[in-house]
């Protein structure tokens, strides 16, 4: 990857711009619109949204005000947990499109799997939601479909359907690599996206990262973003701070050595996000 518009190729041939701009916890209103406009101005072409972030209408205004043609942008959203199942998913997409003021999405994800802690029929709920995703994809309302926070056990049945998930968006940052899920996705042709690639800001003061960042003359945030890219994982850094928005994407003028990649990999504590055991 040499620039923000370079992409990971999804299994249906579509290009996923290699660094996405995150919008979770971005305050609704002016902050969301202005941050998204600034991100696009800084060169991001991939915006990661979700209905549950409760800011899609403002994000949509930011997209409109950027003046960038729709076909040069890649916009993702996610169906929330209360909207699982065929009919509700179909309606959820229409609401998201109307909020974002768009007539199609580039990528639509199931935000979290229905899980065995909450539902005895979790697998059929996920399949029902997936059937809606598949129909939306076939109708051209969304250009690609995938999941988020799915473990291999949740992905298994979906991989047996006629349109397989193209993306799995999971938590991935120095200290949390979820290696088994990443390997499973790569073996099955899914592109992995990294949520919280900066560890929600908490890993940025880590001394191992700081030492590496200093040697390259970069920030620890830039090292985190680059480390994801060199793992062939698409990072989605979020910031509402103008200079961070810009700097987080300035990652194409250095390459981490194999030795530095290994040093960062060693920060992994082996923990996972146990999406099979959540109660929301
Ligand atoms: P990130 O890892 O992107 O970290 C964001 C935090 O780091 C914010 O507090 C931000 O502050 C701060 N920050 C950003 N850049 C810098 C910098 N250069 N120096 C210091 N601090 C910095 O966390 P997120 O959890 O937001 O994850 C990114 C995106 O992933 C989300 O926005 C969302 O789109 C997606 N996501 C998806 C989930 C899912 O379940 N699918 C779950 C969670 C996130 P500030 O904004 O004040 O600058």
């Amino acid at each position: 990857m040499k620039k923000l518009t370079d992409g990971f190729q999804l299994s249906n041939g579509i290009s996923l711009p290699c660094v996405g701009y995150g919008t979770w916890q971005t305050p609704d209103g002016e902050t969301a619109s202005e941050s998204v406009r600034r991100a696009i101005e800084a060169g991001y072409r991939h915006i990661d949204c979700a209905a549950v972030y409760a800011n899609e209408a403002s994000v949509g205004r930011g997209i409109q005000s950027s003046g960038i043609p729709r076909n040069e942008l890649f916009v993702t959203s996610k169906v929330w947990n209360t909207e699982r199942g065929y009919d509700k998913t179909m309606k959820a997409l229409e609401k998201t499109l109307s909020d974002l003021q768009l007539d199609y999405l580039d990528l639509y994800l199931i935000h979290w799997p229905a899980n065995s802690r909450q539902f005895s029929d979790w697998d059929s709920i996920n399949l029902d939601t997936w059937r809606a995703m598949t129909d939306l994809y076939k109708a051209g309302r969304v250009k690609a479909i995938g999941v988020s926070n799915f473990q291999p056990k949740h992905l298994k049945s979906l991989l047996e359907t006629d349109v397989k998930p193209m993306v799995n968006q999971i938590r991935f940052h120095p200290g949390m690599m979820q290696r088994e899920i990443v390997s499973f996705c790569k073996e099955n042709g899914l592109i992995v996206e990294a949520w919280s690639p900066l560890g929600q800001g908490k890993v940025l003061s880590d001394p191992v990262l700081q030492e590496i960042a200093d040697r390259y003359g970069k920030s620890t945030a830039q090292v985190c973003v680059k480390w994801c890219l060199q793992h062939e994982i698409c990072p989605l850094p979020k910031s509402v701070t103008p200079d961070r928005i810009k700097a987080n994407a300035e990652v194409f003028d250095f390459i981490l050595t194999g030795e530095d990649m290994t040093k960062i990999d060693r920060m992994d504590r082996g923990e996972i996000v146990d999406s099979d055991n959540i109660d929301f």
Side-chain angles (χ1 to χ4, degrees):
M1 302 294 168
K2 296 199 171 67
K3 53 185 187 312
L4 283 172
T5 46
D6 286 348
F8 294 101
Q9 194 179 333
L10 304 183
S11 57
N12 67 347
I14 282 184
S15 176
L16 173 77
C18 64
V19 179
Y21 175 69
T23 62
W24 181 42
Q25 293 178 319
T26 295
D28 192 23
E30 185 62 18
T31 306
S33 314
E34 189 52 18
S35 308
V36 167
R37 192 197 59 75
R38 277 179 197 277
I40 296 171
E41 187 180 71
Y44 293 82
R45 290 294 177 267
H46 169 180
I47 314 289
D48 185 74
C49 318
V52 76
Y53 300 165
N55 57 12
E56 288 194 319
S58 305
V59 168
R61 281 195 291 280
I63 291 173
Q64 301 304 323
S65 68
S66 75
I68 296 293
R70 173 66 184 96
N71 63 3
E72 291 177 23
L73 295 171
F74 190 103
V75 183
T76 300
S77 186
K78 315 181 190 89
V79 57
W80 185 240
N81 303 352
T82 49
E83 312 307 311
R84 293 186 183 115
Y86 189 88
D87 293 338
K88 287 210 255 178
T89 298
M90 299 301 267
K91 283 198 195 117
L93 186 265
E94 294 309 323
K95 164 88 169 83
T96 273
L97 286 177
S98 141
D99 283 349
L100 288 167
Q101 301 176 56
L102 300 177
D103 54 12
Y104 70 92
L105 283 182
D106 296 279
L107 176 63
Y108 201 33
L109 305 176
I110 303 180
H111 209 143
W112 291 86
N115 65 38
S116 62
R117 172 181 172 171
Q118 290 177 299
F119 305 99
S120 56
D121 57 345
W122 59 272
D123 200 29
S124 61
I125 297 174
N126 289 333
L127 277 168
D128 247 16
T129 310
W130 189 247
R131 199 160 48 83
M133 305 289 280
T134 303
D135 282 355
L136 291 167
Y137 173 67
K138 288 179 179 165
R141 304 292 283 152
V142 300
K143 305 292 178 198
I145 49 177
V147 296
S148 175
N149 300 301
F150 273 49
Q151 298 175 2
K153 73 177 269 191
H154 306 121
L155 274 165
K156 203 166 169 293
S157 321
L158 271 52
L159 285 166
E160 286 159 11
T161 66
D162 62 337
V163 184
K164 295 170 190 26
M166 297 156 197
V167 166
N168 192 6
Q169 183 180 119
I170 62 170
R171 182 165 177 171
F172 184 90
H173 54 75
M176 184 181 275
M177 295 178 72
Q178 309 208 76
R179 291 175 203 251
E180 199 187 318
I181 301 179
V182 170
S183 304
F184 183 86
C185 289
K186 289 189 174 177
E187 280 157 23
N188 285 282
L190 284 86
I191 297 294
V192 177
E193 294 184 340
W195 62 256
S196 298
L198 315 176
Q200 297 178 357
K202 293 185 193 88
V203 301
L204 300 178
S205 53
D206 182 276
V208 172
L209 288 180
Q210 191 63 64
E211 185 275 325
I212 293 172
D214 288 348
R215 268 191 287 112
Y216 291 85
K218 303 299 288 187
S219 70
T220 51
Q222 289 166 327
V223 168
C224 289
V225 169
K226 189 68 175 197
W227 173 78
C228 290
L229 288 174
Q230 289 186 221
H231 273 297
E232 296 185 351
I233 290 178
C234 173
L236 308 169
K238 172 266 177 186
S239 177
V240 295
T241 313
D243 55 347
R244 292 176 177 171
I245 294 174
K246 192 164 172 290
N248 290 347
E250 290 170 349
V251 296
F252 301 102
D253 56 354
F254 73 112
I255 295 173
L256 296 165
T257 61
E259 199 182 326
D260 287 331
M261 288 294 288
T262 306
K263 273 192 196 164
I264 303 172
D265 291 354
R266 286 208 196 102
M267 291 169 62
D268 185 24
R269 291 184 299 276
E271 292 161 7
I272 63 159
V273 173
D274 190 2
S275 55
D276 206 40
N277 200 25
I278 56 159
D279 59 3
F280 55 86

